[in-house]
Amino acid sequence: MKRKLLLITILLVGGLFVSCSNDDSGNTENPVLPEIKEPLPITITELTSDFVINGENLELKGTNFVNKDYPTKVFINQTEVVPNEITNTKILLISPNVKTGTNTIRIQIDKVNSVPLNFFVLAKGWNKLTVLGDATIANSTVFDNSQTIFSLVNWSNPVKLAPKSSGFIQTTLNPATNEMASFQMYDEKTGVFVTATEAFFSNDSFNTSNKINIDNNFNPVSTRLMIGSLNNDGCLLYSSFGAHIFTKDNGATIIKNEAPDFAKINKTNVFTTRLAVHAFGKSSSNGKFYQLGKIYDFVKYGSTLKNIVMESETGYSNWVVKDSISNADGNKSGYKFVNINKILSVDYYNKTLLMSTDVTKTWTSIKTDVSNIFLRTETQWYIQSGDKIFVTKDSGLTWELELELPAGSVINNISFSKTKIIVSGNKGLHYLKLE
């Protein structure tokens, strides 16, 4: 029995010795290290947009955005930002912190950098636009589905302001003229440009246009045509003498309505009766078109001015005079209305905002220290008061400060889309609000 135990002990010790010897021999081999891959060149092929609104998401597409051995870093203006989503071909930044104006973005993995890209940012709220310098801006048009802006510069030159990575880029459109003109775009393609003697209709941003010549009897060169409406139904133009042009097909065919006889001059070129239209529009109350103005009838009324109110179902034909005997006030600078039963005007001598609810017969004072008014809706109005813009949303009952302007500002126009407001004026006055 003792011999058996001794033999077992010798075998166990021998086995341990052999096992230790095998482990020692393994330490002489070189360990296998993991392979480290150097970053490949990083390429950004697409930015969501190179012109964005502050608060919008930013998405980059490209190649080699991920390396398993090195972290991916994203820099905006040399400040690192943390991506919300990252794959080898896409990086998503949700509402990144960016400044108004030009920004730069790049991707870095170890020592490899992408080519930096620029993008431009507009702020929510009011933005001062400087692309047109100190030119006089008659009016501007903005759209909800595009950042492009169209403006009439120096009352004669239509321009397009296209959004780019460096900001807005100006392009002068054809035609341009030395005459006083009116200009409006319905969308980025469709628009109209008119002078006293010509009208241009375009559906390709004025790369081409349909031109209509207007004779002097239809619209004397001392005035210019105005744009009454431009929408899906077509374009309607009017003159201060009550003449009209309507087209449903971008100027390919037109309907012309001559001014009424009482608005014309006689054969000796002496004014016997003259119509001066100060407002034209479609009333929200009944869908009918109205033109409002004054009659200078020296034969019948001497030097007394009379109001004139004309109504039409179409806006370009069958005009009916609704009133031409109530006395007019020559101090009023013009009329504005959305609903014909609520007409606004400014007494430019007293700088008082007035309202008429009986189609210009009588007027009620609404607010003092007002130099101009612009209507967004029937109840929402914007006024210039000194060097400030105020807004009311309850037909003048209460007012809120909307925007402070530089000293001596002169506003020519405020126009609206559903989500934007743009202010145009003298000496480069140009402000855009993103709501």
Side-chain angles (χ1 to χ4, degrees):
M1 185 66 180
K2 290 182 180 180
R3 288 182 180 178
K4 288 183 180 180
L5 291 175
L6 180 61
L7 179 59
I8 292 171
T9 301
I10 293 172
L11 289 173
L12 288 172
V13 172
L16 289 173
F17 179 79
V18 171
S19 175
C20 291
S21 299
N22 289 338
D23 287 344
D24 289 342
S25 63
N27 289 335
T28 61
E29 297 181 7
N30 294 326
V32 178
L33 299 177
E35 180 183 0
I36 298 177
K37 293 185 178 180
E38 294 300 320
L40 296 172
I42 307 167
T43 302
I44 302 175
T45 59
E46 182 183 342
L47 198 59
T48 310
S49 174
D50 58 5
F51 194 99
V52 299
I53 309 304
N54 202 350
E56 291 182 342
N57 296 343
L58 201 62
E59 184 177 300
L60 298 88
K61 293 182 179 179
T63 57
N64 302 322
F65 288 174
V66 174
N67 182 287
K68 69 181 184 62
D69 298 307
Y70 300 97
T72 300
K73 298 181 179 180
V74 180
F75 294 88
I76 295 180
N77 304 324
Q78 306 306 317
T79 299
E80 185 176 358
V81 295
V82 178
N84 299 89
E85 180 183 334
I86 182 168
T87 70
N88 199 45
T89 57
K90 185 180 83 170
I91 291 177
L92 175 64
L93 304 173
I94 297 178
S95 300
N97 184 22
V98 291
K99 64 178 182 179
T100 301
T102 301
N103 292 261
T104 300
I105 189 167
R106 65 180 173 89
I107 302 171
Q108 178 180 328
I109 301 177
D110 193 28
K111 298 178 181 180
V112 177
N113 286 275
S114 68
V115 174
L117 292 182
N118 291 338
F119 64 100
F120 195 85
V121 176
L122 279 181
K124 284 283 190 179
W126 286 103
N127 294 266
K128 176 74 169 71
L129 306 181
T130 59
V131 61
L132 294 175
D134 60 355
T136 292
I137 307 164
N139 67 279
S140 300
T141 305
V142 289
F143 312 106
D144 291 314
N145 59 353
S146 167
Q147 303 302 339
T148 302
I149 299 171
F150 292 89
S151 298
L152 181 63
V153 177
N154 295 326
W155 296 97
S156 59
N157 299 318
V159 300
K160 176 181 179 180
L161 307 181
K164 301 294 181 182
S165 60
S166 58
F168 287 104
I169 303 299
Q170 174 187 344
T171 302
T172 300
L173 305 178
N174 291 316
T177 178
N178 292 324
E179 296 183 52
M180 293 281 285
S182 299
F183 173 57
Q184 188 176 335
M185 298 293 291
Y186 172 61
D187 53 33
E188 285 200 72
K189 299 293 184 180
T190 308
V192 59
F193 177 83
V194 293
T195 67
T197 58
E198 296 174 320
F200 300 84
F201 302 90
S202 179
N203 60 5
D204 61 2
S205 295
F206 287 94
N207 291 319
T208 62
S209 60
N210 291 324
K211 176 182 175 181
I212 299 173
N213 291 315
I214 302 162
D215 60 79
N216 191 47
N217 289 330
F218 185 84
N219 191 61
V221 293
S222 60
T223 68
R224 74 182 191 276
L225 285 176
M226 275 76 74
I227 302 166
S229 61
L230 177 63
N231 50 42
N232 278 329
D233 297 326
C235 180
L236 203 160
L237 310 178
Y238 73 99
S239 77
S240 62
F241 291 94
H244 305 90
I245 292 175
F246 177 71
T247 178
K248 293 180 66 175
D249 51 15
N250 201 45
T253 58
I254 64 169
I255 298 173
K256 292 179 70 174
N257 177 55
E258 295 284 346
D261 290 339
F262 61 79
K264 298 178 180 179
I265 60 176
N266 65 16
K267 294 180 180 179
T268 60
N269 291 324
V270 176
F271 286 105
T272 56
T273 304
R274 183 181 180 183
L275 168 66
V277 175
H278 293 293
F280 180 98
K282 188 176 184 179
S283 174
S284 62
S285 61
N286 57 13
K288 294 182 180 181
F289 289 86
Y290 291 85
Q291 50 188 358
L292 312 174
K294 299 180 178 73
I295 289 182
Y296 301 78
D297 192 336
F298 299 108
V299 173
K300 191 173 183 180
Y301 299 112
S303 60
T304 302
L305 296 177
K306 295 293 181 178
N307 291 313
I308 185 163
V309 178
M310 303 178 71
E311 181 185 87
S312 168
E313 296 283 348
T314 65
Y316 56 85
S317 62
N318 301 322
W319 285 97
V320 177
V321 177
K322 305 294 288 185
D323 175 39
S324 63
I325 60 173
S326 60
N327 289 339
D329 183 352
N331 291 349
K332 294 181 180 63
S333 59
Y335 304 125
K336 305 284 180 67
F337 70 92
V338 175
N339 181 342
I340 194 62
N341 299 313
K342 188 186 295 182
I343 301 169
L344 283 299
S345 184
V346 174
D347 184 323
Y348 57 84
Y349 281 126
N350 297 320
K351 291 189 175 181
T352 303
L353 175 62
L354 305 171
M355 181 171 68
S356 173
T357 57
D358 55 9
V359 198
T360 74
K361 291 184 180 66
T362 60
W363 297 87
T364 302
S365 177
I366 300 295
K367 187 171 177 32
T368 58
D369 192 23
V370 178
S371 56
N372 217 334
I373 181 169
F374 307 91
L375 308 185
R376 190 174 195 177
T377 67
E378 185 178 329
T379 57
Q380 188 171 348
W381 318 331
Y382 291 74
I383 61 169
Q384 180 178 2
S385 178
D387 294 319
K388 296 180 175 65
I389 296 176
F390 289 88
V391 60
T392 177
K393 299 178 181 178
D394 52 16
S395 299
L397 295 177
T398 59
W399 296 87
E400 300 174 7
L401 177 63
E402 178 67 34
L403 178 65
E404 295 198 35
L405 303 170
S409 292
V410 176
I411 296 176
N412 293 319
N413 185 260
I414 302 178
S415 57
F416 312 92
S417 70
K418 291 182 179 180
T419 61
K420 297 176 185 177
I421 306 172
I422 191 160
V423 177
S424 305
N426 292 355
K427 298 181 179 178
L429 186 71
H430 214 196
Y431 285 86
L432 172 67
K433 184 180 184 181
L434 307 176
E435 296 180 315

